[in-house]
Amino acid sequence: VIFRMGLIGMAGRFLHGFAADFLQSYTPARKAGLYIMYLLGSLSVLRGFALLLPSPCISLQTWKVACFFISFGFGGYFALFPASAHSVFGAKEVGFWLGVLFCMTGCLNFVIGRFAAAVGWKSEFFMLGTSCGAINSLVFVAMIFRSWGVA
């Protein structure tokens, strides 16, 4: 499972990064192309967490598929972070802010992992993940509408 998650995460990085560049360069979406790809990554993670909602009463196959969805979405996030840091903070600050983004991701993974362990990796954790994924997706929808056509 771990090997396949790595491959799927790598595919997510390639597809999200390539598609974001394409949407920004060759379509009327322009700047919104980046947020469209963030939305697709977020929806992939949301789908994975939604599959895990009935935990612990799910099959091993469902668990694997959910992990693959989450891996694909997170791969996309990591491909899009540098473009976001560059567009928000500029070329001179991109290294510092990428470090901050990756550090925040690592710290949040630790905190969320502690919460998941505290509730026994049951549906409460996956409800929180699903809720955060839905809110995240709505934010990206708003960003798409706000930045559509902006160069």
Side-chain angles (χ1 to χ4, degrees):
V1 171
I2 301 297
F3 176 74
R4 288 185 182 150
M5 283 178 63
L7 289 177
I8 290 170
M10 185 173 59
R13 287 180 187 202
F14 174 78
L15 291 173
H16 282 85
F18 178 78
D21 285 343
F22 179 82
L23 289 170
Q24 289 179 16
S25 300
Y26 300 108
T27 69
R30 310 302 289 162
K31 190 175 181 180
L34 180 66
Y35 300 116
I36 290 170
M37 296 316 299
Y38 268 121
L39 175 63
L40 293 178
S42 182
L43 291 174
S44 180
V45 172
L46 176 63
R47 179 66 180 138
F49 276 112
L51 283 170
L52 293 169
L53 274 175
S55 285
C57 303
I58 59 171
S59 69
L60 180 61
Q61 187 62 28
T62 302
W63 181 82
K64 287 180 184 179
V65 170
C67 289
F68 296 154
F69 273 113
I70 293 168
S71 178
F72 185 79
F74 267 74
Y77 290 157
F78 285 115
L80 301 173
F81 275 171
S84 297
H86 183 270
S87 68
V88 172
F89 302 110
K92 289 186 177 184
E93 300 288 328
V94 73
F96 172 77
W97 288 106
L98 268 180
V100 169
L101 284 169
F102 286 123
C103 181
M104 286 174 31
T105 301
C107 291
L108 287 173
N109 284 340
F110 176 76
V111 171
I112 294 298
R114 296 285 298 172
F115 171 70
V119 297
W121 292 90
K122 295 202 172 119
S123 61
E124 295 87 352
F125 169 68
F126 300 110
M127 279 189 262
L128 176 66
T130 303
S131 300
C132 290
I135 292 166
N136 197 24
S137 297
L138 290 174
V139 168
F140 288 130
V141 167
M143 292 300 295
I144 290 167
F145 282 112
R146 185 171 179 257
S147 62
W148 189 268
V150 176

